[in-house]
Amino acid sequence: MKRWLYTFIAAAGLLLSGCASVIESNVTSFHAWSPADNDKAYAFAPTPAQENDLEYQNYAGLIRQELQFLGFTEAAQPKQAQLNVSFSYGINTEQVVVSRPAYDPFFYGPAPGWGRFGPRPFGFYGPYGPFYDPFWYGGPMQTTSYPVFLRRLQIGISNVADGKKLFDVVVDSEGNRAGLASAMPYMVRSAFEDFPGPSGVTRRIRIKVDKDGQPVD
């Protein structure tokens, strides 16, 4: 229940703010990286299903930009590469259920007399007095539900010669809007934050975004 409450508060904050200026992701990486690996040329290694996939190519372009920023060189031909870069991605939906009072316990209308909706003979606090609390006395509750979209990106870098995995990172992000493409730029940026980063540690990465939702340097 605490997890659902936390998710509700986070999602509600995004809705109220209109457009968030900071995007957060959970990033977990494992690696056996050495400085010598920085000088190796890389190539993407798509699965057969990814080879002609336009969405895959778009995300590969985002990863390519980050690797170039880090100083990596892409091999002119895949056969010349010393490192293989592979990645997968996906999105799931969970339904969040939240219960709350059916009415505001802190306001019951104006003083006795006529209000906007007719006579109010009981005054400001209603018929129960100033100390009535529906949380203590089991007042009426209403339940609402809404979807939360859980997005995941996994990127792996391995040696071509022996297939040894050198770097593996998983980025988890959630939001109240469907679609993966708009979230991918900051998820890729989060994946390579402080590369290669601490191994076996989950970090909360915060990425600033502009009004169009693009990462800001």
Side-chain angles (χ1 to χ4, degrees):
M1 183 62 187
K2 289 184 178 179
R3 179 184 181 278
W4 294 128
L5 181 59
Y6 172 80
T7 303
F8 171 74
I9 294 173
L14 289 176
L15 288 171
L16 292 175
S17 61
C19 56
S21 58
V22 175
I23 302 297
E24 297 185 347
S25 301
N26 286 332
V27 178
T28 307
S29 61
F30 295 88
H31 64 82
W33 198 262
S34 68
D37 297 321
N38 294 333
D39 298 325
K40 297 178 180 179
Y42 75 90
F44 287 97
T47 66
Q50 293 173 332
E51 286 182 351
N52 295 314
D53 189 289
L54 294 178
E55 184 180 17
Y56 170 88
Q57 295 173 18
N58 181 273
Y59 301 157
L62 297 174
I63 295 173
R64 181 180 291 109
Q65 291 177 8
E66 290 300 317
L67 291 174
Q68 183 178 2
F69 177 79
L70 292 171
F72 287 93
T73 301
E74 186 172 7
Q77 299 294 331
K79 293 183 179 180
Q80 300 173 350
Q82 297 167 287
L83 299 175
N84 274 338
V85 177
S86 60
F87 66 94
S88 60
Y89 47 87
I91 184 169
N92 289 319
T93 306
E94 287 190 1
Q95 201 71 16
V96 176
V97 179
V98 177
S99 295
R100 61 181 180 181
Y103 54 89
D104 189 343
F106 304 105
F107 183 76
Y108 297 98
W114 282 83
R116 291 180 58 192
F117 305 103
R120 296 181 179 272
F122 298 107
F124 185 87
Y125 296 105
Y128 304 105
F131 303 106
Y132 173 72
D133 187 344
F135 293 107
W136 286 99
Y137 296 99
M141 305 289 286
Q142 71 178 18
T143 300
T144 58
S145 64
Y146 61 92
V148 170
F149 300 96
L150 309 177
R151 303 171 290 239
R152 170 165 287 194
L153 168 67
Q154 182 274 331
I155 303 174
I157 303 177
S158 59
N159 265 326
V160 172
D162 55 12
K164 179 183 178 182
K165 184 66 71 68
L166 301 176
F167 176 75
D168 187 81
V169 61
V170 174
V171 180
D172 288 312
S173 175
E174 64 181 45
N176 60 339
R177 293 184 179 181
L180 191 59
S182 60
M184 193 57 68
Y186 64 78
M187 293 181 69
V188 171
R189 177 73 62 87
S190 297
F192 291 103
E193 186 77 7
D194 298 325
F195 179 86
S199 184
V201 177
T202 298
R203 298 173 292 157
R204 190 71 169 172
I205 303 298
R206 307 171 78 247
I207 301 295
K208 292 183 179 181
V209 299
D210 60 21
K211 64 180 181 178
D212 296 320
Q214 298 300 313
V216 177
D217 295 327

